[in-house]
Amino acid sequence: MSVQVVSAAAAAKVPEVELKDLSPSEVEPQLGLSTAAVSAMAPPAGGGDPEAPAPAAERPPARGPGSGPAAALSPAAGKVPQASAMKRSDPHHQHQRHRDGGEALVSPDGTVTEAPRTVKKQIQFADQKQEFNKRPTKIGRRSLSRSISQSSTDSYSSAASYTDSSDDETSPRDKQQKNSKGSSDFCVKNIKQAEFGRREIEIAEQEMPALMALRKRAQGEKPLAGAKIVGCTHITAQTAVLMETLGALGAQCRWAACNIYSTLNEVAAALAESGFPVFAWKGESEDDFWWCIDRCVNVEGWQPNMILDDGGDLTHWIYKKYPNMFKKIKGIVEESVTGVHRLYQLSKAGKLCVPAMNVNDSVTKQKFDNLYCCRESILDGLKRTTDMMFGGKQVVVCGYGEVGKGCCAALKAMGSIVYVTEIDPICALQACMDGFRLVKLNEVIRQVDIVITCTGNKNVVTREHLDRMKNSCIVCNMGHSNTEIDVASLRTPELTWERVRSQVDHVIWPDGKRIVLLAEGRLLNLSCSTVPTFVLSITATTQALALIELYNAPEGRYKQDVYLLPKKMDEYVASLHLPTFDAHLTELTDEQAKYLGLNKNGPFKPNYYRY
């Protein structure tokens, strides 16, 4: 039986927001700590007073998140594999095929005898039995083929989520669903997947020790009691642990996805079953994306007083559609380069009307989420989508910020030949000292096998670059925004698009040349694979503490500006994760602390220190 993979219509592109340059002379205030934030943090013995807010020199946002020819990804249909008995040659007999298809043995004296027939057995897997033994109807055939194609790139633990392929044709917006409590205040792919999602959340909890410790320590005090948080982030098992932690601390939450491809449907279903109003599913259209955000914000009898954003789309939507809501909003917490840049633009223009916290530029976020996370997830995303081997491949990485550093280190370790493009001379010098050749993209575009963008900018890879790429060149993005690769220029009549896997498209030129475009230029690791849970524990804990601080800060502590987390909070988040490694910190003696002019319990580095 053959199954043909039929591509769904490509999702519409979310409108881009032009990012403007910021004046290097702007001042970025430093964040202080409220009483609630201090109590939520485990106070070390003999701890000093929390820092008072003080201005710190603004540093530009770190570069954000954030392959030779690909293995042949044939769009042709495949057959169900069968296993046949292997034939062993006998030195005293020759095999001869009967006319009826059976085996015959010919002895040296010419006598022909029939050999025992071998029985061919079909290899049968549990989910294949369910999918292939059911003859797909005409209506469900497209859904079935898409279900099979997705299984190789979606979360491994969620394979069972795609057995109910008949629902794929129906938009979640057209379904009437209720959870076990009778609530319908959500919109997910299939509420019946909640059980699978709950298992994934439980697995994630084991790798998020700091967030679980914060939940246990602070849930008795309920530091977020009365908080109404509206969030727009990637909806994954790790985000679910954060949401349930915020709920345990007293907050009410409503959530939408910041990326149309990164939502885990089963996790969204588990959250909806638990009573969280979640509006998200994998493969949203542009209209769906904004509709989901609006459903989170525009609800009768409920108005948010805190925003947790990833990319700035939620903040942008409220400014555009419901500006009066900011009268009751206490603050914004933003975790991406793109979103932070938008906040600085609003602040520069005098349009930022509430305090905002820049989580992206905290040390723990930059170093662990951007650097170490991308160092592992870049390989995972490329392997799952292309099945390629990295040894000997020529790769160009655009941008050598924290994300670029992680990508380059991983690919170099796998034996790839890595080039780097960069506009910042300091980052460029770092790339050279790390052993990478610094080039302009035009110099290597004809020869490289993989192009990876991670700059946070727009039009880094243009149509001119795409026209000059070699056949089967892989193009992908590790930045948050989908503006780095000019995908819109590829949607022209002379080019043919072929969907060969979930999130994998071949774009074919008239002369037969093709490039392999991953996730339509969106964030590769969260669109095509997963990211390490432990790293997301660090980011999620930082977000939770930032929300607690902004929500409980006395009026007037923070003005309408963008603030950084204090060093002490960064160090606290890091310390919560050390027990996982059975790590033992050395403690300063009184004499040593006096000599260095430090408090024995931190902070241990000045705000200007570069890790």
Side-chain angles (χ1 to χ4, degrees):
M1 172 181 176
S2 73
V3 179
Q4 292 198 352
V5 178
V6 184
S7 67
K13 183 181 177 186
V14 177
E16 63 187 48
V17 176
E18 184 176 353
L19 304 180
K20 302 177 182 178
D21 293 335
L22 298 174
S23 171
S25 61
E26 292 179 62
V27 177
E28 179 180 80
Q30 177 192 339
L31 174 66
L33 290 176
S34 69
T35 305
V38 173
S39 63
M41 296 165 51
D49 294 332
E51 299 173 336
E58 175 189 341
R59 59 179 181 268
R63 303 206 176 266
S67 301
L73 303 177
S74 173
K79 294 185 178 181
V80 179
Q82 290 185 340
S84 58
M86 297 182 63
K87 297 180 283 293
R88 299 175 59 187
S89 57
D90 191 318
H92 303 295
H93 295 81
Q94 293 178 342
H95 286 275
Q96 181 172 315
R97 181 77 59 180
H98 271 314
R99 291 178 182 176
D100 62 358
E103 290 281 354
L105 298 178
V106 182
S107 62
D109 60 2
T111 305
V112 179
T113 60
E114 184 175 355
R117 293 180 180 271
T118 58
V119 179
K120 295 184 178 180
K121 297 183 179 180
Q122 180 175 348
I123 298 177
Q124 195 70 276
F125 298 98
D127 39 354
Q128 281 183 343
K129 184 175 181 180
Q130 185 169 0
E131 294 287 347
F132 287 98
N133 287 357
K134 280 195 301 185
R135 184 181 183 86
T137 62
K138 184 176 182 180
I139 297 176
R141 191 180 301 274
R142 180 165 173 250
S143 304
L144 173 61
S145 61
R146 189 191 310 129
S147 171
I148 297 167
S149 70
Q150 283 181 337
S151 62
S152 63
T153 53
D154 282 305
S155 175
Y156 291 142
S157 57
S158 59
S161 305
Y162 298 95
T163 56
D164 188 8
S165 58
S166 60
D167 286 341
D168 286 351
E169 294 299 316
T170 306
S171 169
R173 293 169 62 175
D174 299 330
K175 297 179 183 178
Q176 296 294 328
Q177 301 185 80
K178 291 185 179 181
N179 61 18
S180 60
K181 301 174 184 176
S183 173
S184 59
D185 187 19
F186 62 87
C187 189
V188 299
K189 188 71 173 180
N190 188 349
I191 191 64
K192 296 178 181 178
Q193 297 176 347
E195 183 180 349
F196 299 106
R198 177 51 54 188
R199 294 172 188 169
E200 294 204 21
I201 295 171
E202 291 171 353
I203 292 173
E205 288 177 348
Q206 307 306 311
E207 274 285 286
M208 303 184 79
L211 205 57
M212 300 304 292
L214 182 65
R215 182 190 299 186
K216 183 178 180 180
R217 173 172 294 275
Q219 65 180 352
E221 302 172 6
K222 303 288 184 186
L224 291 175
K228 297 180 178 179
I229 303 172
V230 59
C232 183
T233 66
H234 301 282
I235 297 185
T236 61
Q238 297 82 11
T239 302
V241 178
L242 170 61
M243 291 173 62
E244 293 183 342
T245 298
L246 297 177
L249 301 185
Q252 298 178 30
C253 301
R254 297 179 69 85
W255 230 262
C258 69
N259 186 293
I260 64 175
Y261 292 134
S262 63
T263 299
L264 294 182
N265 289 331
E266 59 272 24
V267 171
L271 287 168
E273 176 61 29
S274 298
F276 287 92
V278 174
F279 301 86
W281 59 92
K282 190 180 183 73
E284 298 171 3
S285 66
E286 177 188 355
D287 182 63
D288 293 334
F289 176 80
W290 295 110
W291 178 86
C292 288
I293 290 178
D294 192 74
R295 283 295 305 273
C296 283
V297 176
N298 184 20
V299 55
E300 186 177 354
W302 194 91
Q303 181 171 324
N305 52 26
M306 294 294 296
I307 295 174
L308 178 57
D309 210 353
D310 185 351
D313 291 316
L314 174 59
T315 304
H316 168 75
W317 186 256
I318 296 178
Y319 265 106
K320 179 181 177 181
K321 295 290 186 179
Y322 311 103
N324 289 333
M325 283 190 176
F326 281 102
K327 294 178 180 179
K328 293 187 176 181
I329 290 177
K330 292 188 174 185
I332 302 169
V333 175
E334 172 61 56
E335 72 152 314
S336 74
V337 168
T338 305
V340 166
H341 200 98
R342 289 173 173 176
L343 289 175
Y344 284 131
Q345 286 181 318
L346 290 172
S347 178
K348 183 179 180 180
K351 296 181 179 179
L352 184 62
C353 52
V354 295
M357 198 171 294
N358 172 5
V359 171
N360 180 74
D361 287 316
S362 64
V363 177
T364 45
K365 170 65 166 65
Q366 273 196 16
K367 288 295 180 183
F368 297 92
D369 196 339
N370 294 357
L371 175 61
Y372 299 122
C373 174
C374 294
R375 190 173 68 182
E376 297 193 17
S377 61
I378 179 63
L379 301 179
D380 189 18
L382 288 170
K383 280 285 189 184
R384 292 202 200 189
T385 50
T386 65
D387 302 320
M388 73 176 310
M389 190 169 184
F390 298 109
K393 298 295 191 300
Q394 297 190 60
V395 186
V396 59
V397 177
C398 301
Y400 202 67
E402 299 298 338
V403 173
K405 288 179 174 70
C407 293
C408 289
L411 292 163
K412 181 180 180 180
M414 298 299 292
S416 298
I417 302 167
V418 182
Y419 304 96
V420 173
T421 71
E422 186 47 79
I423 62 170
D424 185 333
I426 296 176
C427 293
L429 182 58
Q430 286 180 312
C432 294
M433 296 296 289
D434 288 338
F436 301 108
R437 184 182 171 191
L438 190 75
V439 298
K440 292 183 178 180
L441 187 56
N442 285 330
E443 298 171 357
V444 296
I445 196 63
R446 289 186 182 276
Q447 69 193 58
V448 293
D449 304 304
I450 311 171
V451 178
I452 303 171
T453 59
C454 41
T455 69
N457 206 340
K458 63 179 293 186
N459 294 335
V460 177
V461 177
T462 64
R463 175 61 188 268
E464 179 184 357
H465 295 128
L466 295 163
D467 286 337
R468 296 174 59 198
M469 288 178 183
K470 66 192 294 186
N471 185 50
S472 296
C473 181
I474 296 171
V475 187
C476 62
N477 170 47
M478 283 291 285
H480 175 85
S481 180
N482 63 329
T483 59
E484 301 201 32
I485 302 169
D486 188 9
V487 177
S489 68
L490 298 176
R491 303 190 187 280
T492 54
E494 73 271 14
L495 300 182
T496 303
W497 284 59
E498 284 184 358
R499 172 59 58 92
V500 295
R501 281 182 178 176
S502 176
Q503 314 305 333
V504 182
D505 290 290
H506 282 182
V507 184
I508 307 171
W509 269 250
D511 62 357
K513 184 198 88 169
R514 65 181 62 201
I515 64 169
V516 182
L517 179 63
L518 305 182
E520 298 183 22
R522 297 179 184 272
L523 183 58
L524 172 68
N525 53 6
L526 280 164
S527 296
C528 300
S529 61
T530 58
V531 295
T533 300
F534 185 81
V535 168
L536 293 185
S537 173
I538 296 172
T539 301
T541 306
T542 305
Q543 289 172 321
L545 289 173
L547 287 167
I548 292 172
E549 169 60 27
L550 273 182
Y551 180 70
N552 291 281
E555 187 175 353
R557 170 176 287 183
Y558 301 114
K559 300 178 181 179
Q560 298 169 356
D561 212 333
V562 183
Y563 292 83
L564 279 177
L565 292 175
K567 190 75 65 177
K568 193 171 183 65
M569 188 178 289
D570 259 334
E571 291 175 353
Y572 173 68
V573 172
S575 68
L576 287 177
H577 290 84
L578 290 177
T580 302
F581 304 100
D582 193 24
H584 305 278
L585 278 174
T586 300
E587 296 182 5
L588 290 173
T589 64
D590 293 336
E591 183 182 1
Q592 289 173 326
K594 183 178 180 180
Y595 178 77
L596 294 174
L598 298 176
N599 187 307
K600 290 178 62 175
N601 301 298
F604 299 98
K605 298 290 190 296
N607 290 316
Y608 55 80
Y609 182 81
R610 306 291 183 181
Y611 287 84

